[in-house]
Amino acid sequence: MSASGTEIAVAALLAKIDAGERILLLDVRNDEEFERWRVEGREPVATMHRPYFDFIEDETLLGEVPRDAGEVFVICAKGDSSDLIAQMLRDRGVAARNVAGGMVAYGESLLPARLPLDPDEAESFEIWQMNRRGKGCLSYVIRSGPEAVVVDPSRNLAEYERFVASRDAKIIAVFDTHVHADHVSGGPR
């Protein structure tokens, strides 16, 4: 979330959805984009869809956004149009925040989960599953001391680099175990 509290990161939004918090996700992408791909959580998320241009052409439509739906989070493709709509809602007294980076950030977001190991193994290494929920892809980071390997990375390597650095390690190798049409690997980079 930004310092001003007007944005929320995808990981924080997903945590709220997964916890079953009462929120409203206002998706302002065009109809085709909305029908093709949406934010999903482990718990159902109340979603309202109204294209950005509808609000621009008729600002009275902002009144259709429920004020009693809990926190309102506005999302678009990249986070720019939704930022404007969130600001317009805030100007009308609705507590609305922009989803930083929009659906692009949702599609690229990696959520790490440490996999359990036997106690004697856990002293030597750790395995992290990197869940790219927006695309349904899994990859892995295996760390032992200051070294780590990445297995089946998605194309956005900066996320892996940041994560591995946060574990006080450096990536020394990348393994691609399945190259196919629905997975673009960042491994060659």
Side-chain angles (χ1 to χ4, degrees):
M1 180 171 43
S2 70
S4 65
T6 62
E7 288 191 328
I8 188 169
V10 168
L13 174 67
L14 290 173
K16 287 178 172 292
I17 293 169
D18 292 348
E21 290 187 28
R22 195 165 155 263
I23 70 162
L24 174 68
L25 185 62
L26 174 59
D27 193 316
V28 297
R29 294 175 298 145
N30 68 40
D31 294 333
E32 291 174 5
E33 291 174 335
F34 178 73
E35 288 303 321
R36 208 176 42 209
W37 184 38
R38 302 178 196 179
V39 171
E40 298 178 18
R42 292 187 179 109
E43 296 293 326
V45 57
T47 304
M48 177 181 176
H49 172 246
R50 174 71 74 162
Y52 161 82
F53 286 111
D54 289 358
F55 291 117
I56 300 304
E57 292 173 4
D58 183 0
E59 290 188 23
T60 65
L61 294 174
L62 292 163
E64 293 181 4
V65 177
R67 291 178 176 261
D68 61 350
E71 290 183 271
V72 176
F73 299 100
V74 188
I75 192 165
C76 68
K78 296 180 182 176
D80 297 326
S81 299
S82 54
D83 190 37
L84 176 63
I85 300 302
Q87 181 61 53
M88 291 169 72
L89 286 166
R90 285 192 303 277
D91 290 346
R92 285 156 181 79
V94 177
R97 290 195 281 171
N98 181 43
V99 179
M103 292 298 288
V104 170
Y106 174 63
E108 294 294 328
S109 176
L110 294 173
L111 301 175
R114 189 171 184 169
L115 300 180
L117 298 172
D118 290 334
D120 58 324
E121 293 174 323
E123 292 178 17
S124 303
F125 66 98
E126 55 190 42
I127 301 174
W128 290 84
Q129 184 181 70
M130 306 299 282
N131 189 342
R132 188 174 169 205
R133 287 175 46 184
K135 295 291 185 176
C137 294
L138 297 175
S139 55
Y140 297 87
V141 171
I142 303 168
R143 184 188 72 83
S144 180
E147 299 178 329
V149 297
V150 179
V151 180
D152 297 325
S154 63
R155 64 180 176 225
N156 185 2
L157 294 181
E159 294 267 345
Y160 297 95
E161 291 167 341
R162 276 192 294 274
F163 177 76
V164 169
S166 77
R167 307 295 307 154
D168 294 323
K170 181 179 178 183
I171 298 171
I172 61 164
V174 173
F175 299 99
D176 278 313
T177 66
H178 67 287
V179 178
H180 49 80
D182 70 344
H183 178 83
V184 178
S185 173
R189 278 194 325 202

